[in-house]
Amino acid sequence: MTSTSAPPGLARFNGLEESAAFAVLHQVCACTAWVRALLAARPYATIAALHAASDAATAGLTTADLAEAMAAHPPIGRPAPGDPASVREQRGMSDASADLRAEMLDLTLAYQEKFGHVFLICATGRTGEQMRDAIEERIGNAPEREWEIARTELGRINRIRLARLVEEDARA
């Protein structure tokens, strides 16, 4: 399948009642403005069109919208209990040493103190060391720069989650 062909689950997603589609999109990204933008652009002919709509919606989010989305993300190293997506996305921390876990806890707390929000990174496929290196690099950023990096990371997370959504729909 190419990136421009529609996965079988996309038709099912397109056919969901609006309230059901809202609920599944809200699980992808907990920002109401983002969800509404994606709902308004349905139906999607391809996953590429869905991703393009997500990218456009993410680019248009205000700081308050970004804060709403980030508030639903658990800190790195502390996936949400009972949330398999959170555990899967943070898999890179599962084998981290106790020292690295303690270091990440200290860094994420310092980051949150400085910026007022969770350290957001697309953790999928990253090791604990890579996430530590990223937070160490980013903690020195100006707040405005960090908001834009968080926006980019949110876009990456949303793309992965949307792809998984339509793949899971295809298996349903």
Side-chain angles (χ1 to χ4, degrees):
M1 174 181 353
T2 67
S3 64
T4 57
S5 64
L10 190 57
R12 182 177 177 279
F13 168 72
N14 284 332
L16 290 174
E17 295 285 332
E18 183 143 344
S19 62
F22 185 97
V24 297
L25 286 173
H26 199 265
Q27 290 176 344
V28 170
C29 180
C31 174
T32 303
W34 181 88
V35 171
R36 287 188 177 138
L38 267 68
L39 285 175
R42 280 194 319 158
Y44 295 98
T46 64
I47 187 69
L50 178 61
H51 282 162
S54 175
D55 293 346
T58 302
L61 297 179
T62 66
T63 301
D65 294 333
L66 282 169
E68 179 185 17
M70 288 190 296
H73 286 266
I76 295 296
R78 293 176 278 157
D83 180 359
S86 178
V87 171
R88 179 181 57 247
E89 291 170 351
Q90 293 195 30
R91 187 175 302 140
M93 286 299 295
S94 64
D95 294 329
S97 68
D99 287 345
L100 180 55
R101 286 178 182 276
E103 187 178 5
M104 281 300 291
L105 177 60
D106 290 345
L107 287 165
T108 58
L109 291 173
Y111 179 98
Q112 285 180 269
E113 178 70 25
K114 178 175 181 178
F115 295 109
H117 57 79
V118 71
F119 170 67
L120 189 67
I121 188 168
C122 182
T124 300
R126 293 184 192 230
T127 66
E129 291 81 4
Q130 289 170 325
M131 289 183 267
R132 180 210 45 223
D133 293 349
I135 196 170
E136 285 178 337
E137 179 182 318
R138 288 173 50 188
I139 203 162
N141 286 338
E144 300 78 23
R145 173 77 179 125
E146 195 53 30
W147 279 109
E148 288 311 309
I149 293 171
R151 178 189 307 278
T152 299
E153 294 297 318
L154 179 65
R156 289 179 179 141
I157 294 164
N158 291 349
R159 278 177 160 257
I160 290 167
R161 289 179 175 183
L162 285 169
R164 184 171 295 281
L165 170 74
V166 296
E167 288 168 7
E168 288 174 355
D169 277 355
R171 291 189 295 261

